[in-house]
Amino acid sequence: MKKWFIIFITIITVSAALVGCYGGGAEQSSGSDKGDSDSKNVKQEITVNAMTEPPAIDPAMATDTTSGWVLDHIFEGLYTRDKDGEPTLGAAEKVDVSDDGKTYTFKLRDDAKWSDGSPVTAQDFEYAWKRVLNPDTGSAFAFYMYYIKGAEDYNKGKGSADKVGVKALDERTFQVELNAPIGYFDSLLTLWTFYPVQKSLVEDNKNWAAEADGYVSNGPFKMTEWKHDSEVIIEKNDEYYDKKAVNLKKVTFKLVNEATTYYQMFKTGDLDLIMTLPSDVIQSEKDSKEYKEVPYYGTYMYMFNVEKEPFTNKKIRKAFAMSIDRDALTKNVTMGGETPAYGMVPSGANTPNGDFREEGGDYFKEDAEKAKELLKEGMKEEGWDELPQVTLTYNTSEEHKKIAEAVQEMLKKNLDVSVKLNNQEWGTYLDTTKQHNYQMARMGWIGVFVDPVVNLDYYLGDSPNNRTGWVDKKFDDLMEKSKVEQDQDKRYELLHQAEERLMDEMPFMPVYFYMNNYLANTDVKDIAYFVNRYPYLKWAKKTN
Amino acid sequence: MYIVKRFVTMLLTIWVIASLTFIIMKFIPGDPFASDADVLPEHVLDNMRAKYHLDEPIPVQYVLYLKSLVMFDLGPSIQSETRSVNSIIASGFPASATLGIQAIIVAVVFGLLLGIIAALYHNRLLDYISMVIAIIGISVPSFILAPLLINYFAVKWGMLPVASWGSFQHSILPSIALATTPLAVIARFMRSSMIEVMNQNYMKTADAKGLSSFKIVFNHGIRNAILPVVSFMGPLFVSLITGTFVIEKIFAIPGIGKYFVDSIFNRDYPVIMGTTVFFSVILVVTLFLIDISYRFIDPRIKLTSKGD
């Protein structure tokens, strides 16, 4: 009897000891500080939802948008973005480009400093970039640096670090040599992979990026706390050269992954900004002032396997593409404000003549009658009396299922073709598509930086992404030419031609261009919504 | 002697579990480096595989793994590239365990109470009420109960925070949501076991001796009836303190529950192994402790390896 109680008491005591494990302990209770905020002196602190634990808050290792979101706030590269999202000089104050467009010489700002007060040097940049390329680092995004001379060899383990075309000429001068000129180098340099890291810090501590303690960065904010799987806190960096432009003192990235939960936290005021809204929430919030739609630089598409019947035939591929009512699909099924897509490159890429998409226009029209004709012609060409059974494969998710079912219905209705649906768990799915073991399969592609090249490169003959089996010399040549073209007008012209060729061959059919949906507290002003990144909070301020 | 023997068996069990998991894991199709941004040229992938020794033959990987396991090093996570599996478990386990222990306390206290009351009032109104509560507890899944709790206690009445982690208040709703099912199960177990015990001859003897009914119920009834519940408590305790995917996700709790599931989807081999080994260690140790605790609850049980 008594012993039984002892066990019980032990359990209770242990749990009491564990009460210390809640985390901070000193945290404010939710919502309690709302009433007493002085209207003139608003606490410049906001809480946003980043959904998942950032896998790597390390410029060399990050490959995902969540890590990128934090990195964009705490670091700054040679180029950064202005309020419109256009690349503008950041940690560098001046750049000289050689006449052949291959050598860039950057002059770093005198007042570019790390959050510990020490200067950001050209050596830091050199070290950071070579660290990305070092095969031992195992950086996934290293290939974004292959434009640099000697980079690919070094990363492949063939060359050496000394032969890589990045060099600190002195403390403030940083030189980059490219294999060939590229027209979008400034845009590329805003990618986090090109951010500097503090050489001494990284060399001394292998695990420097695992915790917030001792973390040093050079952006508008600095990371002060990282409670894994719970929250990341960044605070204003007083060493930042442009600190006058930064209003917020503190931003908390909460890591709440359940849609209903973060929506309720937004409703109770625990969160000031949430994204990835479930469709029922979009429906009910669509007209509220807090709702915001921002184009996301990506394309939702169905790939055709051109090695497998019936998609070996171009006309049949086109027939499928023309039988989908994208307007109905985006309005009634996805409902997040997505734009129907009739090309590969989404809106958002600015060219001297305006938006690339608008300039390029639509490459095909939905037309059930024409589609039926094309299907008939295609079957005749191949000598089929009956269309081989088509299976549409997608990765397991409610959202993709809804879309696939709608597409299935539309194909039945408009083309009189019955397709089977098949879904696979994501990891298995990637394997299946990589082995070209499908007929028609869903895929999404989001540009890491905004330039048509990123989207069109997807279907290069030797791109690891191109799982359609479609290899086209003409398309590859046009892309190749566009990459060395120095004249911007001509470069975009070549890209338009490449897209035209791609859409004419149609190894995939575009469905829609992505849209990001946000709910943002209307008291938070000047949040910058960029096309292909999460909201940038450098200039944001709280007004109430 | 018994304890030494048990200890060796424990180690063997863990080794078997680790080996089986390793083999099964290698059979899952896919690759930890395949992702949305699957633009990686083959040699970039080679660099990454080399970093995690995935370029070695599988038997070599297995030996390397066992080697580091003996050193209590569970390796680096592939998904969270800057963190080790040890640090993931170290930072996630306290939250999961806190929540699990609170839930266990709620479940045991109220479950036993409910079960005992039901048994004492067998086939009367209180029995029916208790069992209706228990059936609801078993049949309402936590992913329904949790949003309901949030909706009322946090959103409508504003008594408690919606989600997140940081104070005792944050842990109340998830503990309740987590406790409900085990509470109901314990109540039903306890009820049937108690009813059985109440009909035993020694209970009648105790009654005939003139003991107070309080003493009969506590000293003779509960003590005998609780044994089956205790054996069920072991696995329950382990599964609760090692975190639960659903509750931790809904309440945004920084526990380790999600790693058991996400690691498999991400093909994060070291995390799959790490969480499995961690779970089995805790399970095996707990079962051992439960075995010993029988001795205290019921002196008739002796701790011998032969069972004499």
Side-chain angles (χ1 to χ4, degrees), chain A residues 15 22 61 140 143 146 155-156 229 254 261 425 445 465 467, chain B residues 38-40 43 47 81 101-102 164-165 250 258-259 267:
Chain A
S15 73
Y22 291 112
M61 307 310 293
F143 73 97
Y146 285 2
N155 190 237
K156 281 181 178 172
D229 293 309
K254 283 275 180 195
T261 308
E425 177 272 325
W445 180 240
N465 280 311
R467 292 150 184 212
Chain B
D38 194 40
V39 284
L40 311 181
H43 48 266
N47 289 342
E81 295 174 73
I101 287 172
Q102 283 179 193
S164 196
W165 193 244
I250 293 176
K258 70 167 187 160
Y259 287 102
R267 310 289 190 268

PDB file of all heavy atoms in Angstrom, chain A residues 15 22 61 140 143 146 155-156 229 254 261 425 445 465 467, chain B residues 38-40 43 47 81 101-102 164-165 250 258-259 267:
ATOM      1  N   SER A  15       7.866  14.656 -12.444  1.00  0.00           N
ATOM      2  CA  SER A  15       7.183  15.579 -13.356  1.00  0.00           C
ATOM      3  C   SER A  15       7.355  17.016 -12.893  1.00  0.00           C
ATOM      4  O   SER A  15       7.485  17.925 -13.697  1.00  0.00           O
ATOM      5  CB  SER A  15       5.713  15.224 -13.469  1.00  0.00           C
ATOM      6  OG  SER A  15       5.061  15.589 -12.282  1.00  0.00           O
ATOM      7  N   TYR A  22       9.893  23.605 -19.829  1.00  0.00           N
ATOM      8  CA  TYR A  22       8.999  24.224 -20.800  1.00  0.00           C
ATOM      9  C   TYR A  22       9.726  25.144 -21.751  1.00  0.00           C
ATOM     10  O   TYR A  22       9.221  25.553 -22.761  1.00  0.00           O
ATOM     11  CB  TYR A  22       7.877  24.999 -20.111  1.00  0.00           C
ATOM     12  CG  TYR A  22       6.913  24.100 -19.404  1.00  0.00           C
ATOM     13  CD1 TYR A  22       6.824  24.088 -18.025  1.00  0.00           C
ATOM     14  CD2 TYR A  22       6.096  23.240 -20.137  1.00  0.00           C
ATOM     15  CE1 TYR A  22       5.943  23.246 -17.384  1.00  0.00           C
ATOM     16  CE2 TYR A  22       5.212  22.398 -19.503  1.00  0.00           C
ATOM     17  CZ  TYR A  22       5.144  22.410 -18.131  1.00  0.00           C
ATOM     18  OH  TYR A  22       4.282  21.569 -17.490  1.00  0.00           O
ATOM     19  N   MET A  61      24.501  25.723 -46.547  1.00  0.00           N
ATOM     20  CA  MET A  61      23.752  24.476 -46.486  1.00  0.00           C
ATOM     21  C   MET A  61      22.279  24.617 -46.832  1.00  0.00           C
ATOM     22  O   MET A  61      21.635  23.639 -47.187  1.00  0.00           O
ATOM     23  CB  MET A  61      23.851  23.870 -45.076  1.00  0.00           C
ATOM     24  CG  MET A  61      25.259  23.691 -44.549  1.00  0.00           C
ATOM     25  SD  MET A  61      26.358  22.847 -45.684  1.00  0.00           S
ATOM     26  CE  MET A  61      25.617  21.241 -45.703  1.00  0.00           C
ATOM     27  N   ALA A 140      24.463  21.563 -51.252  1.00  0.00           N
ATOM     28  CA  ALA A 140      23.578  21.181 -52.349  1.00  0.00           C
ATOM     29  C   ALA A 140      23.512  22.269 -53.421  1.00  0.00           C
ATOM     30  O   ALA A 140      23.390  21.983 -54.600  1.00  0.00           O
ATOM     31  CB  ALA A 140      22.185  20.902 -51.811  1.00  0.00           C
ATOM     32  N   PHE A 143      26.155  24.151 -57.079  1.00  0.00           N
ATOM     33  CA  PHE A 143      26.135  24.259 -58.535  1.00  0.00           C
ATOM     34  C   PHE A 143      25.691  25.640 -59.014  1.00  0.00           C
ATOM     35  O   PHE A 143      25.917  25.987 -60.152  1.00  0.00           O
ATOM     36  CB  PHE A 143      25.235  23.175 -59.133  1.00  0.00           C
ATOM     37  CG  PHE A 143      23.788  23.424 -58.915  1.00  0.00           C
ATOM     38  CD1 PHE A 143      23.039  24.025 -59.914  1.00  0.00           C
ATOM     39  CD2 PHE A 143      23.181  23.100 -57.713  1.00  0.00           C
ATOM     40  CE1 PHE A 143      21.696  24.268 -59.727  1.00  0.00           C
ATOM     41  CE2 PHE A 143      21.845  23.360 -57.511  1.00  0.00           C
ATOM     42  CZ  PHE A 143      21.100  23.943 -58.517  1.00  0.00           C
ATOM     43  N   TYR A 146      28.632  27.453 -60.341  1.00  0.00           N
ATOM     44  CA  TYR A 146      29.404  26.910 -61.456  1.00  0.00           C
ATOM     45  C   TYR A 146      29.682  27.920 -62.558  1.00  0.00           C
ATOM     46  O   TYR A 146      30.478  27.656 -63.449  1.00  0.00           O
ATOM     47  CB  TYR A 146      28.698  25.685 -62.063  1.00  0.00           C
ATOM     48  CG  TYR A 146      28.808  24.443 -61.210  1.00  0.00           C
ATOM     49  CD1 TYR A 146      29.450  24.470 -59.987  1.00  0.00           C
ATOM     50  CD2 TYR A 146      28.281  23.244 -61.649  1.00  0.00           C
ATOM     51  CE1 TYR A 146      29.540  23.343 -59.205  1.00  0.00           C
ATOM     52  CE2 TYR A 146      28.370  22.099 -60.868  1.00  0.00           C
ATOM     53  CZ  TYR A 146      28.992  22.153 -59.644  1.00  0.00           C
ATOM     54  OH  TYR A 146      29.077  21.023 -58.882  1.00  0.00           O
ATOM     55  N   ASN A 155      34.570  21.759 -57.084  1.00  0.00           N
ATOM     56  CA  ASN A 155      33.460  21.080 -56.429  1.00  0.00           C
ATOM     57  C   ASN A 155      33.404  19.595 -56.788  1.00  0.00           C
ATOM     58  O   ASN A 155      32.946  18.763 -56.013  1.00  0.00           O
ATOM     59  CB  ASN A 155      32.142  21.778 -56.786  1.00  0.00           C
ATOM     60  CG  ASN A 155      30.970  21.280 -55.948  1.00  0.00           C
ATOM     61  OD1 ASN A 155      29.976  20.809 -56.460  1.00  0.00           O
ATOM     62  ND2 ASN A 155      31.101  21.376 -54.633  1.00  0.00           N
ATOM     63  N   LYS A 156      33.884  19.279 -57.997  1.00  0.00           N
ATOM     64  CA  LYS A 156      33.889  17.880 -58.418  1.00  0.00           C
ATOM     65  C   LYS A 156      35.105  17.137 -57.892  1.00  0.00           C
ATOM     66  O   LYS A 156      35.290  15.959 -58.171  1.00  0.00           O
ATOM     67  CB  LYS A 156      33.885  17.795 -59.940  1.00  0.00           C
ATOM     68  CG  LYS A 156      32.524  18.018 -60.553  1.00  0.00           C
ATOM     69  CD  LYS A 156      32.609  17.900 -62.062  1.00  0.00           C
ATOM     70  CE  LYS A 156      31.239  18.063 -62.679  1.00  0.00           C
ATOM     71  NZ  LYS A 156      31.310  18.154 -64.144  1.00  0.00           N
ATOM     72  N   ASP A 229      12.390  23.707 -33.084  1.00  0.00           N
ATOM     73  CA  ASP A 229      11.010  23.257 -33.285  1.00  0.00           C
ATOM     74  C   ASP A 229       9.982  24.140 -32.596  1.00  0.00           C
ATOM     75  O   ASP A 229       8.810  23.808 -32.548  1.00  0.00           O
ATOM     76  CB  ASP A 229      10.810  21.805 -32.804  1.00  0.00           C
ATOM     77  CG  ASP A 229      11.572  20.837 -33.671  1.00  0.00           C
ATOM     78  OD1 ASP A 229      11.414  20.914 -34.894  1.00  0.00           O
ATOM     79  OD2 ASP A 229      12.327  20.021 -33.123  1.00  0.00           O
ATOM     80  N   LYS A 254       7.607  31.951 -35.334  1.00  0.00           N
ATOM     81  CA  LYS A 254       7.045  30.776 -34.654  1.00  0.00           C
ATOM     82  C   LYS A 254       7.055  29.608 -35.621  1.00  0.00           C
ATOM     83  O   LYS A 254       6.931  29.793 -36.835  1.00  0.00           O
ATOM     84  CB  LYS A 254       5.605  31.067 -34.223  1.00  0.00           C
ATOM     85  CG  LYS A 254       5.519  31.937 -32.984  1.00  0.00           C
ATOM     86  CD  LYS A 254       5.612  31.085 -31.735  1.00  0.00           C
ATOM     87  CE  LYS A 254       5.516  31.976 -30.499  1.00  0.00           C
ATOM     88  NZ  LYS A 254       5.949  31.265 -29.293  1.00  0.00           N
ATOM     89  N   THR A 261      -4.263  25.506 -36.399  1.00  0.00           N
ATOM     90  CA  THR A 261      -3.668  26.114 -35.215  1.00  0.00           C
ATOM     91  C   THR A 261      -3.134  27.507 -35.522  1.00  0.00           C
ATOM     92  O   THR A 261      -3.428  28.462 -34.810  1.00  0.00           O
ATOM     93  CB  THR A 261      -2.529  25.233 -34.660  1.00  0.00           C
ATOM     94  OG1 THR A 261      -3.016  23.914 -34.497  1.00  0.00           O
ATOM     95  CG2 THR A 261      -2.029  25.767 -33.351  1.00  0.00           C
ATOM     96  N   GLU A 425       3.791   8.284 -52.134  1.00  0.00           N
ATOM     97  CA  GLU A 425       4.433   9.112 -51.106  1.00  0.00           C
ATOM     98  C   GLU A 425       5.625   9.822 -51.758  1.00  0.00           C
ATOM     99  O   GLU A 425       6.295   9.276 -52.634  1.00  0.00           O
ATOM    100  CB  GLU A 425       4.839   8.202 -49.948  1.00  0.00           C
ATOM    101  CG  GLU A 425       5.569   8.858 -48.816  1.00  0.00           C
ATOM    102  CD  GLU A 425       7.059   8.882 -49.031  1.00  0.00           C
ATOM    103  OE1 GLU A 425       7.583   7.915 -49.608  1.00  0.00           O
ATOM    104  OE2 GLU A 425       7.676   9.884 -48.656  1.00  0.00           O
ATOM    105  N   TRP A 445       7.564  23.761 -59.913  1.00  0.00           N
ATOM    106  CA  TRP A 445       8.920  24.294 -59.980  1.00  0.00           C
ATOM    107  C   TRP A 445       8.899  25.776 -59.640  1.00  0.00           C
ATOM    108  O   TRP A 445       8.191  26.553 -60.260  1.00  0.00           O
ATOM    109  CB  TRP A 445       9.523  24.052 -61.370  1.00  0.00           C
ATOM    110  CG  TRP A 445      10.921  24.577 -61.477  1.00  0.00           C
ATOM    111  CD1 TRP A 445      11.370  25.522 -62.339  1.00  0.00           C
ATOM    112  CD2 TRP A 445      12.045  24.204 -60.673  1.00  0.00           C
ATOM    113  NE1 TRP A 445      12.702  25.746 -62.123  1.00  0.00           N
ATOM    114  CE2 TRP A 445      13.145  24.972 -61.117  1.00  0.00           C
ATOM    115  CE3 TRP A 445      12.214  23.300 -59.618  1.00  0.00           C
ATOM    116  CZ2 TRP A 445      14.404  24.843 -60.534  1.00  0.00           C
ATOM    117  CZ3 TRP A 445      13.464  23.191 -59.040  1.00  0.00           C
ATOM    118  CH2 TRP A 445      14.544  23.957 -59.510  1.00  0.00           C
ATOM    119  N   ASN A 465      16.402  17.704 -63.538  1.00  0.00           N
ATOM    120  CA  ASN A 465      14.968  17.876 -63.306  1.00  0.00           C
ATOM    121  C   ASN A 465      14.116  17.368 -64.438  1.00  0.00           C
ATOM    122  O   ASN A 465      12.951  17.063 -64.261  1.00  0.00           O
ATOM    123  CB  ASN A 465      14.657  19.363 -63.159  1.00  0.00           C
ATOM    124  CG  ASN A 465      14.979  19.834 -61.797  1.00  0.00           C
ATOM    125  OD1 ASN A 465      14.584  19.220 -60.828  1.00  0.00           O
ATOM    126  ND2 ASN A 465      15.724  20.910 -61.712  1.00  0.00           N
ATOM    127  N   ARG A 467      12.508  15.127 -66.346  1.00  0.00           N
ATOM    128  CA  ARG A 467      12.194  13.699 -66.220  1.00  0.00           C
ATOM    129  C   ARG A 467      11.246  13.246 -67.316  1.00  0.00           C
ATOM    130  O   ARG A 467      10.572  12.236 -67.187  1.00  0.00           O
ATOM    131  CB  ARG A 467      11.559  13.458 -64.859  1.00  0.00           C
ATOM    132  CG  ARG A 467      12.539  13.676 -63.759  1.00  0.00           C
ATOM    133  CD  ARG A 467      11.894  14.141 -62.494  1.00  0.00           C
ATOM    134  NE  ARG A 467      12.942  14.416 -61.524  1.00  0.00           N
ATOM    135  CZ  ARG A 467      12.795  14.248 -60.237  1.00  0.00           C
ATOM    136  NH1 ARG A 467      11.671  13.828 -59.744  1.00  0.00           N
ATOM    137  NH2 ARG A 467      13.786  14.522 -59.427  1.00  0.00           N
TER     138      ARG A 467
ATOM    139  N   ASP B  38      15.037  19.668 -56.831  1.00  0.00           N
ATOM    140  CA  ASP B  38      15.906  18.580 -57.246  1.00  0.00           C
ATOM    141  C   ASP B  38      16.661  18.949 -58.503  1.00  0.00           C
ATOM    142  O   ASP B  38      16.425  18.447 -59.577  1.00  0.00           O
ATOM    143  CB  ASP B  38      15.091  17.322 -57.472  1.00  0.00           C
ATOM    144  CG  ASP B  38      15.981  16.114 -57.569  1.00  0.00           C
ATOM    145  OD1 ASP B  38      16.933  16.057 -56.791  1.00  0.00           O
ATOM    146  OD2 ASP B  38      15.759  15.275 -58.441  1.00  0.00           O
ATOM    147  N   VAL B  39      17.574  19.863 -58.330  1.00  0.00           N
ATOM    148  CA  VAL B  39      18.325  20.348 -59.475  1.00  0.00           C
ATOM    149  C   VAL B  39      19.753  19.870 -59.384  1.00  0.00           C
ATOM    150  O   VAL B  39      20.596  20.264 -60.160  1.00  0.00           O
ATOM    151  CB  VAL B  39      18.344  21.880 -59.468  1.00  0.00           C
ATOM    152  CG1 VAL B  39      17.016  22.390 -59.928  1.00  0.00           C
ATOM    153  CG2 VAL B  39      18.664  22.409 -58.108  1.00  0.00           C
ATOM    154  N   LEU B  40      20.009  19.035 -58.385  1.00  0.00           N
ATOM    155  CA  LEU B  40      21.392  18.788 -58.046  1.00  0.00           C
ATOM    156  C   LEU B  40      22.094  17.896 -59.055  1.00  0.00           C
ATOM    157  O   LEU B  40      21.650  16.791 -59.317  1.00  0.00           O
ATOM    158  CB  LEU B  40      21.468  18.148 -56.665  1.00  0.00           C
ATOM    159  CG  LEU B  40      20.636  18.894 -55.649  1.00  0.00           C
ATOM    160  CD1 LEU B  40      20.759  18.236 -54.293  1.00  0.00           C
ATOM    161  CD2 LEU B  40      21.074  20.336 -55.578  1.00  0.00           C
ATOM    162  N   HIS B  43      27.328  14.883 -59.205  1.00  0.00           N
ATOM    163  CA  HIS B  43      28.510  14.904 -58.331  1.00  0.00           C
ATOM    164  C   HIS B  43      28.292  15.747 -57.084  1.00  0.00           C
ATOM    165  O   HIS B  43      28.951  15.548 -56.078  1.00  0.00           O
ATOM    166  CB  HIS B  43      29.740  15.390 -59.091  1.00  0.00           C
ATOM    167  CG  HIS B  43      29.482  16.627 -59.852  1.00  0.00           C
ATOM    168  ND1 HIS B  43      29.120  16.628 -61.169  1.00  0.00           N
ATOM    169  CD2 HIS B  43      29.467  17.903 -59.470  1.00  0.00           C
ATOM    170  CE1 HIS B  43      28.905  17.861 -61.568  1.00  0.00           C
ATOM    171  NE2 HIS B  43      29.103  18.646 -60.559  1.00  0.00           N
ATOM    172  N   ASN B  47      29.026  14.335 -53.398  1.00  0.00           N
ATOM    173  CA  ASN B  47      29.654  15.017 -52.260  1.00  0.00           C
ATOM    174  C   ASN B  47      28.819  14.848 -51.005  1.00  0.00           C
ATOM    175  O   ASN B  47      29.335  14.646 -49.908  1.00  0.00           O
ATOM    176  CB  ASN B  47      29.798  16.520 -52.539  1.00  0.00           C
ATOM    177  CG  ASN B  47      30.850  16.815 -53.586  1.00  0.00           C
ATOM    178  OD1 ASN B  47      31.688  15.964 -53.865  1.00  0.00           O
ATOM    179  ND2 ASN B  47      30.792  17.998 -54.165  1.00  0.00           N
ATOM    180  N   GLU B  81      20.548  20.032 -41.452  1.00  0.00           N
ATOM    181  CA  GLU B  81      21.946  19.753 -41.762  1.00  0.00           C
ATOM    182  C   GLU B  81      22.933  20.211 -40.708  1.00  0.00           C
ATOM    183  O   GLU B  81      24.043  19.709 -40.636  1.00  0.00           O
ATOM    184  CB  GLU B  81      22.293  20.393 -43.096  1.00  0.00           C
ATOM    185  CG  GLU B  81      21.502  19.756 -44.202  1.00  0.00           C
ATOM    186  CD  GLU B  81      21.698  20.447 -45.520  1.00  0.00           C
ATOM    187  OE1 GLU B  81      22.777  20.292 -46.089  1.00  0.00           O
ATOM    188  OE2 GLU B  81      20.784  21.153 -45.952  1.00  0.00           O
ATOM    189  N   ILE B 101       4.332  12.937 -19.199  1.00  0.00           N
ATOM    190  CA  ILE B 101       4.176  12.647 -17.776  1.00  0.00           C
ATOM    191  C   ILE B 101       2.929  13.328 -17.222  1.00  0.00           C
ATOM    192  O   ILE B 101       2.156  12.735 -16.479  1.00  0.00           O
ATOM    193  CB  ILE B 101       5.452  13.048 -17.013  1.00  0.00           C
ATOM    194  CG1 ILE B 101       6.550  12.049 -17.341  1.00  0.00           C
ATOM    195  CG2 ILE B 101       5.200  13.078 -15.521  1.00  0.00           C
ATOM    196  CD1 ILE B 101       7.906  12.410 -16.836  1.00  0.00           C
ATOM    197  N   GLN B 102       2.710  14.552 -17.650  1.00  0.00           N
ATOM    198  CA  GLN B 102       1.477  15.210 -17.199  1.00  0.00           C
ATOM    199  C   GLN B 102       0.251  14.442 -17.671  1.00  0.00           C
ATOM    200  O   GLN B 102      -0.719  14.278 -16.927  1.00  0.00           O
ATOM    201  CB  GLN B 102       1.426  16.656 -17.734  1.00  0.00           C
ATOM    202  CG  GLN B 102       2.331  17.562 -16.949  1.00  0.00           C
ATOM    203  CD  GLN B 102       2.333  18.996 -17.443  1.00  0.00           C
ATOM    204  OE1 GLN B 102       3.170  19.760 -17.057  1.00  0.00           O
ATOM    205  NE2 GLN B 102       1.391  19.353 -18.309  1.00  0.00           N
ATOM    206  N   SER B 164       1.769  26.522 -29.021  1.00  0.00           N
ATOM    207  CA  SER B 164       3.151  26.894 -28.740  1.00  0.00           C
ATOM    208  C   SER B 164       3.555  26.404 -27.357  1.00  0.00           C
ATOM    209  O   SER B 164       2.774  25.742 -26.686  1.00  0.00           O
ATOM    210  CB  SER B 164       3.345  28.398 -28.863  1.00  0.00           C
ATOM    211  OG  SER B 164       4.713  28.685 -28.941  1.00  0.00           O
ATOM    212  N   TRP B 165       4.745  26.731 -26.942  1.00  0.00           N
ATOM    213  CA  TRP B 165       5.334  26.099 -25.773  1.00  0.00           C
ATOM    214  C   TRP B 165       6.082  27.153 -24.998  1.00  0.00           C
ATOM    215  O   TRP B 165       6.620  28.074 -25.581  1.00  0.00           O
ATOM    216  CB  TRP B 165       6.305  25.009 -26.246  1.00  0.00           C
ATOM    217  CG  TRP B 165       6.773  24.052 -25.210  1.00  0.00           C
ATOM    218  CD1 TRP B 165       8.056  23.905 -24.793  1.00  0.00           C
ATOM    219  CD2 TRP B 165       5.999  23.106 -24.496  1.00  0.00           C
ATOM    220  NE1 TRP B 165       8.121  22.914 -23.863  1.00  0.00           N
ATOM    221  CE2 TRP B 165       6.875  22.407 -23.653  1.00  0.00           C
ATOM    222  CE3 TRP B 165       4.632  22.793 -24.454  1.00  0.00           C
ATOM    223  CZ2 TRP B 165       6.433  21.404 -22.796  1.00  0.00           C
ATOM    224  CZ3 TRP B 165       4.210  21.793 -23.607  1.00  0.00           C
ATOM    225  CH2 TRP B 165       5.099  21.103 -22.792  1.00  0.00           C
ATOM    226  N   ILE B 250      -0.470  19.657 -33.677  1.00  0.00           N
ATOM    227  CA  ILE B 250      -1.595  20.568 -33.498  1.00  0.00           C
ATOM    228  C   ILE B 250      -1.236  21.688 -32.525  1.00  0.00           C
ATOM    229  O   ILE B 250      -1.561  22.846 -32.749  1.00  0.00           O
ATOM    230  CB  ILE B 250      -2.845  19.812 -33.014  1.00  0.00           C
ATOM    231  CG1 ILE B 250      -3.329  18.876 -34.118  1.00  0.00           C
ATOM    232  CG2 ILE B 250      -3.955  20.780 -32.604  1.00  0.00           C
ATOM    233  CD1 ILE B 250      -4.493  18.008 -33.745  1.00  0.00           C
ATOM    234  N   LYS B 258       7.354  14.307 -33.871  1.00  0.00           N
ATOM    235  CA  LYS B 258       7.286  14.442 -35.321  1.00  0.00           C
ATOM    236  C   LYS B 258       8.476  13.785 -36.012  1.00  0.00           C
ATOM    237  O   LYS B 258       8.373  13.364 -37.156  1.00  0.00           O
ATOM    238  CB  LYS B 258       7.205  15.906 -35.712  1.00  0.00           C
ATOM    239  CG  LYS B 258       8.467  16.678 -35.470  1.00  0.00           C
ATOM    240  CD  LYS B 258       8.396  18.023 -36.188  1.00  0.00           C
ATOM    241  CE  LYS B 258       9.729  18.700 -36.090  1.00  0.00           C
ATOM    242  NZ  LYS B 258       9.932  19.722 -37.069  1.00  0.00           N
ATOM    243  N   TYR B 259       9.597  13.685 -35.309  1.00  0.00           N
ATOM    244  CA  TYR B 259      10.773  13.108 -35.953  1.00  0.00           C
ATOM    245  C   TYR B 259      10.599  11.626 -36.269  1.00  0.00           C
ATOM    246  O   TYR B 259      11.195  11.119 -37.211  1.00  0.00           O
ATOM    247  CB  TYR B 259      12.026  13.332 -35.095  1.00  0.00           C
ATOM    248  CG  TYR B 259      12.474  14.778 -35.133  1.00  0.00           C
ATOM    249  CD1 TYR B 259      12.205  15.641 -34.099  1.00  0.00           C
ATOM    250  CD2 TYR B 259      13.123  15.275 -36.254  1.00  0.00           C
ATOM    251  CE1 TYR B 259      12.580  16.968 -34.152  1.00  0.00           C
ATOM    252  CE2 TYR B 259      13.502  16.597 -36.324  1.00  0.00           C
ATOM    253  CZ  TYR B 259      13.229  17.443 -35.268  1.00  0.00           C
ATOM    254  OH  TYR B 259      13.604  18.748 -35.342  1.00  0.00           O
ATOM    255  N   ARG B 267      13.503  10.302 -45.494  1.00  0.00           N
ATOM    256  CA  ARG B 267      14.583   9.322 -45.638  1.00  0.00           C
ATOM    257  C   ARG B 267      15.814   9.797 -44.867  1.00  0.00           C
ATOM    258  O   ARG B 267      16.935   9.697 -45.342  1.00  0.00           O
ATOM    259  CB  ARG B 267      14.985   9.119 -47.103  1.00  0.00           C
ATOM    260  CG  ARG B 267      13.856   8.864 -48.045  1.00  0.00           C
ATOM    261  CD  ARG B 267      13.240   7.480 -47.832  1.00  0.00           C
ATOM    262  NE  ARG B 267      12.310   7.155 -48.883  1.00  0.00           N
ATOM    263  CZ  ARG B 267      10.994   7.400 -48.832  1.00  0.00           C
ATOM    264  NH1 ARG B 267      10.459   7.950 -47.762  1.00  0.00           N
ATOM    265  NH2 ARG B 267      10.210   7.071 -49.831  1.00  0.00           N
TER     266      ARG B 267
END
